[in-house]
Amino acid sequence: MQAIVCHELSGPAALRLTEIAEPFPGPGQVRIRVRACGVNFADSLITRGQYQKQPQPPFSPGFEVSGEILELGAGVNGVVIGQRVIAMTPHGGYAEQVIADITRCVAMPAAMSWEHGAAFPVVFGTSHVALSHRARLRAGETLVVHGAAGGVGLTAIAIGKQLGATVIATANGPEKLAVARAHGADHLIDASREDVRTRIRELTDGRGADVVYDPVGGELFTASLRSIAFAGRIVIIGFASGIVPQIPANHLLVKNVDVIGLNWPAYAELNPRVMTESFQTLMQWYLDGAIVPHVSATYPLAEAIEALNQVLLRKSTGKVVLLMDRRD
């Protein structure tokens, strides 16, 4: 079978399409025929040796796949061979087959396409747990979403609206802001041209935002801290800007601000109930038509490096997905 393999921790450019042996499931695992795999910013981190749980080469990137179960490991029950599933994997999704723990597999509705299945878990799971569980976003509050046209950004807009918030979206340039608007944002801020801090305060009549969803960091985090409402909450999702902010604790004290971290994959191991309940809610919203993954581009497995570069260079909106077989 074919896979995109990382042989050294030097970044995405070192990835190579390689023939490898078929994997075999261990106890509590299943072997999945991968139909599609979501592409994420973190895929680049794992190829550089910078991910939280770092495998040693050789390995394949890829944290989320959709596909069909090919084989059951010992002790697996409740699923059958041929069943459609979405699976979250520690790595390995850039391949025609992958092994996944059955506890990290979710039944995939027949109405859901392979593309949507692979584009669903990381971005929607991250945003839902971040906003509902961690930030405690309530109806009537104001939510600021940074990087709003990106993979997690668009899902944060959709989930914010589902939870009853007024959503302010920030992004660079009119094209990306138009995408954010199309996905439900109430107000738009061009972070490349406007003063984000000033605009947030203007749009909230000087009160500030109740919740900020920040996958970017850097200057946007500073603007958020200076425009957050009393008892507001800032959720840190990541640092796409490459700059990890340093937080002056006195700012938190004066305005009773919460700065909240989110490591979404950790819930699968440390508190799986949170992830399970989140997915139940999200799947129902999907079936109701309330949320829909936005896939801006698809690539064959052989073009995985180009797909990942689209994400790293911020040329994409929403999700980029690898399709293993375009004939399906």
Side-chain angles (χ1 to χ4, degrees):
M1 67 171 226
Q2 291 189 319
I4 296 292
V5 177
C6 178
H7 290 283
E8 59 182 47
L9 300 177
S10 58
L15 295 172
R16 296 289 182 269
L17 184 65
T18 307
E19 287 285 341
I20 64 172
E22 291 186 350
F24 295 95
Q29 295 180 325
V30 293
R31 179 164 61 97
I32 297 170
R33 177 189 176 185
V34 178
R35 295 289 194 148
C37 178
V39 179
N40 295 283
F41 179 81
D43 297 341
S44 69
L45 299 180
I46 205 169
T47 66
R48 295 188 178 97
Q50 298 172 350
Y51 197 61
Q52 294 99 319
K53 287 197 170 182
Q54 182 62 49
Q56 293 302 307
F59 65 87
S60 294
F63 300 110
E64 54 183 346
V65 302
S66 62
E68 302 149 316
I69 294 177
L70 293 175
E71 184 180 359
L72 309 180
V76 173
N77 50 53
V79 295
V80 296
I81 292 174
Q83 183 170 332
R84 292 159 51 95
V85 293
I86 296 170
M88 285 71 72
T89 58
H91 55 83
Y94 285 26
E96 292 178 326
Q97 296 180 25
V98 71
I99 299 299
D101 292 344
I102 190 59
T103 55
R104 299 192 180 193
C105 295
V106 178
M108 183 175 166
M112 180 178 272
S113 68
W114 299 122
E115 288 180 30
H116 280 185
F120 194 84
V122 170
V123 289
F124 276 108
T126 295
S127 293
H128 185 254
V129 172
L131 295 176
S132 180
H133 180 68
R134 296 291 284 150
R136 311 174 303 281
L137 180 65
R138 298 183 294 272
E141 291 190 314
T142 298
L143 166 67
V144 171
V145 178
H146 293 313
V152 290
L154 287 179
T155 61
I157 293 172
I159 290 168
K161 297 303 295 180
Q162 277 295 109
L163 296 175
T166 297
V167 178
I168 301 171
T170 80
N172 292 330
E175 292 183 1
K176 291 188 175 182
L177 288 172
V179 174
R181 170 75 81 186
H183 283 76
D186 299 290
H187 305 287
L188 308 175
I189 299 175
D190 188 337
S192 67
R193 299 181 180 182
E194 299 180 88
D195 186 298
V196 172
R197 172 192 177 187
T198 300
R199 288 292 291 134
I200 290 173
R201 297 193 67 84
E202 289 174 351
L203 291 168
T204 58
D205 296 323
R207 182 176 177 275
D210 298 293
V211 174
V212 175
Y213 181 96
D214 185 9
V216 180
E219 293 181 359
L220 284 177
F221 178 87
T222 302
S224 301
L225 194 58
R226 294 181 178 277
S227 58
I228 194 75
F230 180 82
R233 291 88 72 198
I234 302 174
V235 190
I236 298 174
I237 308 300
F239 311 106
S241 68
I243 301 173
V244 178
Q246 303 301 304
I247 305 170
N250 60 311
H251 286 240
L252 310 184
L253 182 150
V254 170
K255 296 172 74 174
N256 283 2
V257 174
D258 292 349
V259 177
I260 304 165
L262 178 74
N263 177 10
W264 178 75
Y267 281 100
E269 179 180 350
L270 301 176
N271 193 347
R273 178 184 60 82
V274 169
M275 190 174 281
T276 299
E277 292 177 354
S278 174
F279 268 111
Q280 290 172 346
T281 298
L282 290 168
M283 280 297 180
Q284 190 58 57
W285 286 352
Y286 178 86
L287 292 173
D288 291 342
I291 58 174
V292 180
H294 174 67
V295 178
S296 61
T298 61
Y299 290 83
L301 182 62
E303 296 177 18
I305 294 177
E306 175 61 23
L308 186 50
N309 282 335
Q310 289 291 309
V311 174
L312 297 180
L313 297 174
R314 302 186 193 179
K315 293 183 178 180
S316 61
T317 58
K319 288 287 291 190
V320 173
V321 171
L322 298 178
L323 293 179
M324 303 304 149
D325 188 345
R326 287 178 176 265
R327 294 171 298 178
D328 291 341

